[in-house]
Amino acid sequence: QLQYHAGLASGLLNQQSLKRSANQMGVSAKRRPKAQPTTLVLPPQYVDDVINRIDRMFPELSFQLSRPNGTSAMLLVTLGKVLKVIVVMRSLFIDRTIVKGYNENVYTEDGKLDIWSKSNYQVFQKVTDHATTALLHYQLPQMPDVVVRSFMTWLRSYVKLFQAPCQRCGKFLQDGLPPTWRDFRTLEAFHDTCRQ
């Protein structure tokens, strides 16, 4: 039976063999046009309009948009009296997020948004890690405005960061931390160890 299946597999592989040599690949690669980079640069006015629409959609969130070096946007998002998020954007693509406590300083000494230092609190460091994971989850390069809206919807679920119990264990605290993970589809709260 093993010989029978090996014979079938051999027949299939021989039918589907790729007959390319290194020589042919070099020729075809020269004929093929080079792929253009797909970074989409949107006008700043369009980015501002998208942010304004999202601002109107979510009353719990307040936005402060700045452009310290031209086209790149820096967004300070305040969620109720819970946390502040610094969002670094290239056009409408979110590059980086830093989550800090509501009472923490988000500015450097020269008055610019501090995009490098992390929060002093472990809970907000965890939320920063989860926000980075969310950015990887919400990827849709063809519709960056949908990505920003989806990310802000996910971020809004942290409005009850210190009031929502874990959906798995039912506890408010585990190892001294509230449930910092939010499911990407249901937006339910989980502790880090309970979400697996």
Side-chain angles (χ1 to χ4, degrees), residues 2 8 13 38 100 128 150 156 160:
L2 182 61
L8 284 177
L13 288 173
T38 57
K100 294 192 176 189
T128 299
S150 300
R156 185 184 63 176
K160 296 202 181 277

Side-chain angles (χ1 to χ4, degrees), residues 132-172:
T132 303
T133 306
L135 291 179
L136 297 173
H137 176 76
Y138 296 116
Q139 282 293 328
L140 196 58
Q142 300 83 4
M143 294 189 283
D145 52 333
V146 173
V147 172
V148 174
R149 193 168 57 242
S150 300
F151 179 75
M152 292 304 168
T153 303
W154 176 84
L155 187 65
R156 185 184 63 176
S157 68
Y158 281 94
V159 74
K160 296 202 181 277
L161 174 63
F162 299 106
Q163 299 165 335
C166 175
Q167 294 299 308
R168 171 134 325 139
C169 70
K171 295 179 182 174
F172 287 93

Side-chain angles (χ1 to χ4, degrees), residues 32-107:
R32 194 174 34 223
K34 290 185 180 178
Q36 296 297 319
T38 57
T39 51
L40 183 63
V41 178
L42 299 166
Q45 184 58 43
Y46 178 75
V47 175
D48 294 354
D49 291 344
V50 169
I51 298 299
N52 287 332
R53 281 197 309 267
I54 292 172
D55 192 10
R56 287 191 299 272
M57 284 174 62
F58 303 122
E60 303 92 350
L61 299 173
S62 68
F63 296 87
Q64 286 179 321
L65 182 68
S66 62
R67 296 185 191 283
N69 57 353
T71 58
S72 296
M74 305 260 296
L75 200 56
L76 177 62
V77 182
T78 306
L79 176 61
K81 294 200 176 196
V82 180
L83 53 83
K84 292 181 181 179
V85 184
I86 300 168
V87 180
V88 180
M89 301 174 76
R90 193 173 11 95
S91 198
L92 261 183
F93 297 97
I94 301 175
D95 274 346
R96 177 182 169 91
T97 59
I98 297 98
V99 180
K100 294 192 176 189
Y102 179 76
N103 293 323
E104 283 188 89
N105 186 18
V106 292
Y107 295 100

